Amino acid sequence: MVVTNQTSSEAQAAPAPPAARAVDLVKTYGMGDAVVHALDGINVEFERGRFTAVMGPSGSGKSTLMHCMAGLDTPTSGHTFIGDEEIGLLDDAGLTQMRRDRIGFVFQSFNLVPTLTAGENITLPADLAGAKIDREWFEFLVGQLAIGDRLSHRPSEMSGGQQQRVACARALIRRPDLIFADEPTGNLDSNSSTEMLTFLRRSVTEFGQSIVMVTHDARGAAFADRVVFLADGQVVGEVYSPSAETVLDQMKRLSG
Amino acid sequence: MWKVTVKGLLAHKLRLVLTALAIVLGVTFVSGTLVLTDTLHNTFTTLFGHIYQNIDFEIRGKAAFADNGTGGAVRKPIPQSILANVRAVPGVAYAEGTAGGYAQFVSSTSKAISTGGAPTIGLSFDPNPQLSALQLAAGTAPKTPNQVVMDEGTARKYHFEVGQHVRILLAGPPQTFTIVGIVRFGTADNLAGATLAAFDLPTAQHLFGLTGRYNAIDVLARPGTAKAGLEHAIAKILPPGVEVVTGQTVANEQSSAINQALSFFSTALLVFAFISLFVGGFTIFNTFSIIVGQRTRELALLRVVGASRRQVFRSVLVEASIVGLVASLVGLGLGVLAAMGLEALLKGFGITLPSGPLVFETRTVVAAIAVGVGVTVVSAISPARRAVQIPPVAALGDHRGDQRESMRRRIYAGSIVALLGIAVLALGLTKPAIQLVGLGAVAVFIGAGMLAPVVARPMASVLGRPLAGILGISGKLGRENSMRSPRRTAQTSSALMVGLALVSTIAVFGASVSKSATSSVDNAVNADYIITNSGAGAAGFSGSVAAAAAHVPGVTAVSTVYNGTFEFRHSLKALTAVSPDHLSETVILRMDSGSGAPALAAGELLVDTTTANTDHLSVGSVVPVKFAETGSSTMRIGGIFKANALRGSFVAGDSFFLSNFNNPLPVAVLLRTDSGASKAGTAAVGGRLSAYANLKIQTRAEFENTQQMQVNQLLGLIYALLALAILIALIGIVNTLMLSVFERTHEIGLLRAIGMRRRQVRAMIRSEAVILSLFGAIVGVLIGTALGVAFASSLKQQGITDLVVPFASLVTFLAIAALLGLGAASWPARRAAKLDVLAAIAAE
Ligand SMILES: Nc1ncnc2c1ncn2[C@@H]1O[C@H](COP(=O)(O)OP(=O)(O)OP(=O)(O)O)[C@@H](O)[C@H]1O
Ligand SMILES: [Mg+2]
């Protein structure tokens, strides 16, 4: 694939400083016998201007990693950084500021406020921050994601794919440092899912957006510059410039 | 964020309406009360201004007692001889004396015309049209001792015309007069519902016991005379104890006296309005808590995309303010309508009010909006704070806060608030300070509301068990639902809890008052018959009744009872007077020390044990007293009797009383017969006294019944006013059930899909409602009973001697609450049953 080749050559030429990193990250749930080590001392870096995929079996701690790194959840121990800023040192106001300005999210489902239209959902982060909306950027995103004719619709009046595209536009509207996407294509058919992944890929390539995406789909992971594999709360491997085959290979090796 | 809030509101219109309704009703009450009292205030001020607009000065006796806030100061009549001197003052164009007193018309059907609380006024008619407040609408002024003019209102209502005869009840024996004229007050045909009989001046003086004296002299200045100079000149020639004031002053005094009465009335109504709002506050609190709970994911999502805590907090409060504002505006509109309604309601209770244009002050608008928005926002603060606690991760799944942990904090906080409330309440009751009592009660309710979730689960379980037995699976599911979230169950029923607590308080208190009234009659009256005026709030009746009753065969003892006010140790008190002759045959005194009848005969004063204790008096103490008529003197305490509400705290002998009061009217005549009370006896007494149409002759048992009926009537009024609070509580239940039906759409769809019938769905929702309302009702009745017992026992000294807990009534309340809950469930139940199975399952 043309896109993949192009990025891999760039990655080798000039490694970007990390957009986010985790140091000895531990997250445990429960106590005593029922204790679960969702994250068991993870050290990982997500490069700036790169598209990183996170893979691993169900329950391996992918979502937990994303939540801790994005400051949605507090780790049991360890440190997480967005750029140079340590998340653990921020108070609620600081975290809010961070989420407004530097982080974007796309979840598997329930991404949109049901009472707002698609257009209003997209501009919501800017509205919350009291910032002016970059109209050109807005129009561009809407055009790229082909949701121009859905802007006045409520989430309940849209298909799952359309909803995810709206969520995508919302994540990008403030041009955050980093976008976390937790199985953004999990509910989509293969066409919609390809469209969405292509768009994410392009936003990395063309606008230098940094993206971390959790996925179960090897084909989806192949859109990324790098795949990080988790198992039992630990990083167990990674693949640069992946293709569907290399990813599947790695997965087989890990489970085997 | 603003957009999110508004859109959220508009997306849930039904929820908005149901939430707002609680506040709408409360605000309606507040603004209705304000509009009504402002209107009445305006009407009376205009009326009195009109009546006194022509009078330049009034000369009258100085107020005998310092103004004690009851309005209508007691004044001694002035000697007639002053009039000639006043007329001689240069600048006086015209001056005439006035005389007034009790005069009550008898209708053509021989019924005393009573006015439901308004006075029956007798007056001298001043023929000078410039001076008189009365204008002849027909006929002429009265000129001879057997002529009278009547107010147009009475004439129209009872079909009297000029030329007809009319009987009039007076302080002396009743007399028949010829109506020579019909009068009106400026533009009104009657004065605030009072009836008026006007006579020529000498007749009035004679009838009202003012021979040689006037109540006042009205003065008209010559045009162009300097008013201040003239007032000064008149003041100079007046004897001591007599003063001259401007007509404007009199008008202001009169309207401010009325306005004081009005402000009491409006305060009473506002108390109930605030009770409604308080209950409404509970409903709002509950609704917002549920809404925040249901919107957890949405609020968390907002936090994820960058909403700050403050923004989430504000969005909930803004939603509350909008609900509050809309509700207040609607309530304000309804309040104006309610003002008319209240006026009609009061008329229904026999309180006649003059009519005037509705007055709509800016203050009403401000108060209504402040109160409506205020209550809503304050109630929403705690849910808003809970909303802020929602962590952003909650957007990602089914996040449930840890309820266990908060339960313990809840017990501590709730207990502290409740105990604090009890302490304040106790302080308020002993002091006594009614504001503290109110504050304490509010804290007790809030504390109980906080503690209720602790007992909600076990109680719901117990209450639901019989339902599960009767209704099977539907009852069982209803029971499970009410146990599922103890906090919501408790919050939903807490509004009803407050409502029922108040109703039960009143029930216990009322039953105790009622019983105490009976026993105070038993402990104070030994007579077979009690004769009183039949009109509510009437002044009394003719002094010649006692003499006439004495002639009834079989009557062995007659005693006349008078009431008046006097200054006892420099504070104004009510004095009761009875004749010492045959005292023990008609009156029970229960002396604690000293003597009864002999002391009264000797012109000594009897006081009750409460007064003796608080003032440290004993038999032989000499105390300063003052009478309006006769001035300051001292009295010896001749005896101390056991406190009794009916007897009053101060008793004097009748001859002493008559020598210190001008022409007083008896308030009761007590009869003892040799054959005891009987129907025939009542008829015999009635026959002898038939000339006095205003009398009610009752045996002691009947008298007790009347007393109880009066208490019950008042209770009825209070229940009616509290009904609004109950209604608001029920709206809260409807609202909660509606919200939980929406919330459980998927679950209900599932139940239907696996074979639950519509009827079973309805039964399930209804069971839940019955459990909810019974829970609230039981807690409420328990708290209310405790409060009622506390109130009643704290007023033991004030005459509530008996403590009664009316179990039958309380159980009835519980049954009614269960039925009301069933009613409240009917709409949500139908809604749940109507859910489309497929759509419900598809719903997220
Ligand atoms: N709130 C929680 N309480 C207790 N355990 C939790 C909680 N959230 C996650 N876990 C546990 O932590 C582990 C990691 O969960 P996580 O959601 O990160 O997995 P995941 O890799 O995202 O899985 P999936 O691919 O199914 O989404 C799991 O074993 C899960 O059971
Ligand atoms: Mg996951």
Side-chain angles (χ1 to χ4, degrees):
Chain A
M1 215 181 264
V2 185
V3 175
T4 322
N5 290 341
Q6 190 186 345
T7 5
S8 60
S9 61
E10 258 175 38
Q12 276 145 13
R21 81 197 147 94
V23 179
D24 299 332
L25 198 60
V26 173
K27 176 77 184 179
T28 50
Y29 289 109
M31 285 184 192
D33 285 348
V35 72
V36 178
H37 296 279
L39 300 177
D40 197 4
I42 283 195
N43 286 289
V44 71
E45 285 189 3
F46 298 124
E47 296 98 332
R48 200 176 290 274
R50 291 289 177 271
F51 188 174
T52 312
V54 178
M55 295 193 78
S58 192
S60 57
K62 305 180 295 291
S63 297
T64 310
L65 177 66
M66 303 270 274
H67 298 161
C68 288
M69 294 202 64
L72 293 180
D73 209 348
T74 37
T76 310
S77 70
H79 309 272
T80 57
F81 299 86
I82 298 286
D84 296 332
E85 201 134 20
E86 181 166 0
I87 295 279
L89 299 180
L90 295 174
D91 60 1
D92 188 74
L95 279 174
T96 302
Q97 199 66 39
M98 171 82 68
R99 286 198 289 269
R100 274 182 188 175
D101 299 339
R102 303 179 62 181
I103 302 177
F105 287 96
V106 183
F107 303 121
Q108 185 173 350
S109 60
F110 197 75
N111 268 297
L112 307 179
V113 177
T115 50
L116 297 183
T117 63
E120 288 163 343
N121 263 293
I122 295 174
T123 57
L124 185 58
D127 288 340
L128 285 169
K132 256 183 74 81
I133 294 142
D134 183 343
R135 270 289 141 199
E136 248 172 74
W137 182 234
F138 177 87
E139 298 298 345
F140 176 77
L141 288 175
V142 165
Q144 287 298 309
L145 288 160
I147 43 176
D149 54 342
R150 293 275 172 256
L151 288 180
S152 57
H153 289 220
R154 297 262 175 96
S156 57
E157 299 157 352
M158 289 186 281
S159 76
Q162 287 164 343
Q163 288 186 34
Q164 284 312 79
R165 278 182 270 155
V166 170
C168 226
R170 184 184 61 198
L172 279 156
I173 189 79
R174 297 269 292 154
R175 303 179 203 268
D177 292 0
L178 183 57
I179 290 177
F180 289 103
D182 194 346
E183 301 185 43
T185 57
N187 282 345
L188 306 184
D189 67 45
S190 67
N191 268 347
S192 313
S193 146
T194 306
E195 269 171 38
M196 164 125 276
L197 289 163
T198 310
F199 178 78
L200 291 177
R201 177 69 253 169
R202 282 184 54 205
S203 60
V204 173
T205 314
E206 291 174 19
F207 331 125
Q209 182 65 58
S210 318
I211 296 178
V212 180
M213 174 182 77
V214 171
T215 183
H216 281 290
D217 175 18
R219 208 177 51 82
F223 280 79
D225 297 314
R226 170 190 168 209
V227 182
V228 174
F229 291 93
L230 294 192
D232 298 330
Q234 285 174 327
V235 178
V236 291
E238 54 184 336
V239 173
Y240 279 91
S241 310
S243 67
E245 293 74 40
T246 51
V247 170
L248 281 172
D249 273 358
Q250 179 76 358
M251 283 169 74
K252 247 177 243 154
R253 206 166 332 131
L254 289 173
S255 59
Chain B
M1 204 67 197
W2 173 249
K3 210 184 277 170
V4 184
T5 310
V6 174
K7 291 263 179 168
L9 271 172
L10 291 180
H12 305 281
K13 292 195 196 68
L14 183 67
R15 183 175 84 191
L16 174 71
V17 168
L18 280 171
T19 312
L21 206 52
I23 294 300
V24 167
L25 291 176
V27 171
T28 300
F29 208 156
V30 170
S31 50
T33 302
L34 291 177
V35 169
L36 178 63
T37 44
D38 287 344
T39 300
L40 294 178
H41 171 104
N42 181 55
T43 309
F44 281 114
T45 309
T46 321
L47 200 60
F48 286 115
H50 203 89
I51 289 172
Y52 285 95
Q53 70 182 357
N54 292 331
I55 297 173
D56 289 314
F57 300 107
E58 186 173 286
I59 297 163
R60 63 189 186 186
K62 284 196 175 125
F65 308 121
D67 193 2
N68 62 334
T70 54
V74 185
R75 293 175 195 283
K76 189 178 158 178
I78 55 177
Q80 189 170 340
S81 55
I82 296 175
L83 182 61
N85 301 340
V86 171
R87 282 180 173 155
V89 173
V92 170
Y94 179 86
E96 189 58 276
T98 64
Y102 165 71
Q104 189 174 9
F105 292 112
V106 177
S107 74
S108 46
T109 54
S110 295
K111 290 252 162 49
I113 293 176
S114 99
T115 51
T120 51
I121 300 171
L123 206 64
S124 57
F125 185 86
D126 196 319
N128 184 339
Q130 278 238 47
L131 199 61
S132 180
L134 311 175
Q135 277 116 51
L136 279 170
T140 60
K143 283 178 208 71
T144 67
N146 55 12
Q147 292 183 341
V148 69
V149 298
M150 181 184 264
D151 65 279
E152 201 174 20
T154 308
R156 194 174 38 225
K157 204 157 152 200
Y158 295 92
H159 313 294
F160 283 109
E161 279 167 22
V162 172
Q164 285 182 333
H165 294 291
V166 63
R167 260 177 99 68
I168 298 182
L169 303 163
L170 299 155
Q175 291 181 34
T176 301
F177 294 85
T178 308
I179 301 170
V180 295
I182 305 289
V183 288
R184 37 194 301 131
F185 299 84
T187 52
D189 67 1
N190 73 76
L191 185 63
T195 68
L196 184 121
F199 310 90
D200 72 338
L201 184 56
T203 307
Q205 283 175 288
H206 170 72
L207 293 176
F208 305 134
L210 290 167
T211 310
R213 299 189 298 171
Y214 297 131
N215 285 119
I217 296 172
D218 289 341
V219 178
L220 213 61
R222 214 178 284 285
T225 315
K227 295 277 170 70
L230 182 55
E231 186 173 353
H232 201 68
I234 295 172
K236 253 200 252 166
I237 60 138
L238 296 178
V242 181
E243 63 180 2
V244 56
V245 292
T246 62
Q248 188 57 49
T249 308
V250 183
N252 292 349
E253 282 172 5
Q254 302 256 15
S255 53
S256 88
I258 291 271
N259 287 331
Q260 255 172 28
L262 274 181
S263 88
F264 172 76
F265 162 74
S266 78
T267 308
L269 283 181
L270 283 178
V271 165
F272 287 99
F274 281 109
I275 288 174
S276 302
L277 278 166
F278 182 61
V279 172
F282 271 82
T283 304
I284 298 281
F285 166 72
N286 184 38
T287 309
F288 272 87
S289 298
I290 296 175
I291 290 173
V292 166
Q294 293 185 350
R295 280 173 53 196
T296 299
R297 282 189 92 173
E298 187 183 323
L299 291 169
L301 183 64
L302 286 170
R303 296 271 287 135
V304 166
V305 299
S308 64
R309 287 197 168 166
R310 185 196 294 252
Q311 281 174 319
V312 169
F313 187 72
R314 250 193 263 142
S315 94
V316 177
L317 288 198
V318 165
E319 175 164 353
S321 322
I322 295 175
V323 171
L325 187 67
V326 171
S328 304
L329 292 178
V330 175
L332 198 59
L334 290 178
V336 177
L337 298 177
M340 306 176 196
L342 274 176
E343 211 170 336
L345 183 77
L346 288 169
K347 276 206 184 98
F349 278 97
I351 303 162
T352 325
L353 301 162
S355 56
L358 275 187
V359 177
F360 192 66
E361 301 257 3
T362 325
R363 193 253 291 120
T364 309
V365 182
V366 174
I369 292 177
V371 158
V373 175
V375 168
T376 319
V377 170
V378 167
S379 311
I381 282 180
S382 158
R385 286 186 37 195
R386 203 169 301 149
V388 164
Q389 304 302 330
I390 297 172
V393 254
L396 311 169
D398 196 27
H399 180 86
R400 288 272 142 90
D402 200 351
Q403 296 215 347
R404 293 266 156 237
E405 179 203 28
S406 63
M407 209 52 132
R408 177 174 300 161
R409 274 232 314 269
R410 172 175 290 277
I411 292 179
Y412 287 138
S415 310
I416 289 172
V417 173
L419 288 176
L420 220 71
I422 291 171
V424 172
L425 196 75
L427 187 71
L429 287 177
T430 42
K431 254 202 147 154
I434 190 75
Q435 292 90 344
L436 286 182
V437 173
L439 196 71
V442 165
V444 166
F445 287 134
I446 292 176
M450 290 168 83
L451 288 174
V454 180
V455 289
R457 185 190 282 274
M459 269 189 76
S461 159
V462 171
L463 290 171
R465 195 159 298 152
L467 285 173
I470 300 165
L471 297 170
I473 185 67
S474 313
K476 201 161 137 46
L477 283 170
R479 174 176 171 232
E480 293 298 330
N481 284 336
S482 61
M483 287 168 63
R484 170 159 23 176
S485 169
R487 189 159 75 190
R488 181 190 294 190
T489 300
Q491 279 171 3
T492 307
S493 46
S494 56
L496 195 62
M497 169 198 83
V498 176
L500 269 158
L502 292 169
V503 169
S504 316
T505 308
I506 297 302
V508 171
F509 189 68
S512 302
V513 169
S514 186
K515 183 78 190 3
S516 306
T518 318
S519 60
S520 77
V521 173
D522 281 338
N523 285 319
V525 177
N526 206 14
D528 296 320
Y529 297 101
I530 296 151
I531 302 172
T532 52
N533 190 311
S534 54
F541 49 83
S542 166
S544 51
V545 168
H551 287 106
V552 177
V555 168
T556 56
V558 179
S559 105
T560 311
V561 182
Y562 298 94
N563 277 342
T565 49
F566 76 131
E567 239 180 53
F568 172 81
R569 306 186 81 197
H570 311 295
S571 65
L572 212 54
K573 302 285 182 195
L575 179 64
T576 307
V578 287
S579 158
D581 309 328
H582 308 288
L583 183 67
S584 62
E585 288 179 50
T586 53
V587 174
I588 305 170
L589 268 179
R590 294 207 196 287
M591 297 309 294
D592 199 58
S593 60
S595 65
L600 292 180
E604 293 176 340
L605 183 66
L606 305 184
V607 300
D608 68 355
T609 41
T610 314
T611 310
N613 287 339
T614 53
D615 287 19
H616 308 293
L617 299 173
S618 55
V619 174
S621 302
V622 174
V623 290
V625 294
K626 187 174 173 190
F627 296 93
E629 195 77 1
T630 53
S632 300
S633 66
T634 56
M635 281 182 91
R636 184 178 179 275
I637 306 287
I640 294 166
F641 58 88
K642 290 237 164 58
N644 176 293
L646 191 63
R647 230 163 11 222
S649 298
F650 302 91
V651 176
D654 63 343
S655 52
F656 173 84
F657 188 89
L658 290 171
S659 64
N660 282 290
F661 284 83
N662 178 48
N663 208 27
L665 296 179
V667 291
V669 165
L670 308 175
L671 302 183
R672 182 66 182 258
T673 59
D674 50 13
S675 54
S678 66
K679 275 235 148 48
T682 308
V685 176
R688 174 65 71 162
L689 298 177
S690 61
Y692 303 92
N694 54 344
L695 297 184
K696 182 155 69 181
I697 298 145
Q698 293 172 301
T699 64
R700 199 172 62 187
E702 286 165 345
F703 184 70
E704 285 172 356
N705 275 341
T706 313
Q707 301 256 317
Q708 283 185 328
M709 256 164 55
Q710 279 169 6
V711 173
N712 290 341
Q713 206 170 24
L714 192 64
L715 283 185
L717 182 61
I718 294 177
Y719 285 149
L721 290 168
L722 284 177
L724 189 64
I726 305 274
L727 180 68
I728 291 173
L730 289 174
I731 292 172
I733 292 185
V734 174
N735 201 358
T736 307
L737 288 174
M738 216 62 184
L739 288 171
S740 60
V741 166
F742 286 139
E743 188 180 67
R744 298 204 302 255
T745 297
H746 184 75
E747 184 184 318
I748 292 168
L750 202 66
L751 287 169
R752 293 270 288 129
I754 58 173
M756 188 180 238
R757 289 167 193 278
R758 282 177 198 270
R759 195 160 41 80
Q760 288 173 307
V761 173
R762 282 197 294 267
M764 176 179 78
I765 305 286
R766 289 199 181 119
S767 322
E768 192 178 342
V770 169
I771 294 172
L772 278 176
S773 13
L774 267 181
F775 173 68
I778 290 175
V779 176
V781 165
L782 289 177
I783 295 177
T785 306
L787 284 180
V789 168
F791 286 154
S793 11
S794 78
L795 291 174
K796 203 176 177 113
Q797 292 296 329
Q798 278 67 41
I800 303 186
T801 45
D802 302 65
L803 193 61
V804 182
V805 177
F807 287 104
S809 308
L810 297 179
V811 171
T812 313
F813 293 157
L814 292 183
I816 290 175
L819 285 177
L820 289 177
L822 211 55
S826 66
W827 184 30
R830 241 180 306 140
R831 188 107 181 189
K834 263 204 264 172
L835 281 177
D836 179 53
V837 181
L838 248 175
I841 292 177
E844 219 240 322

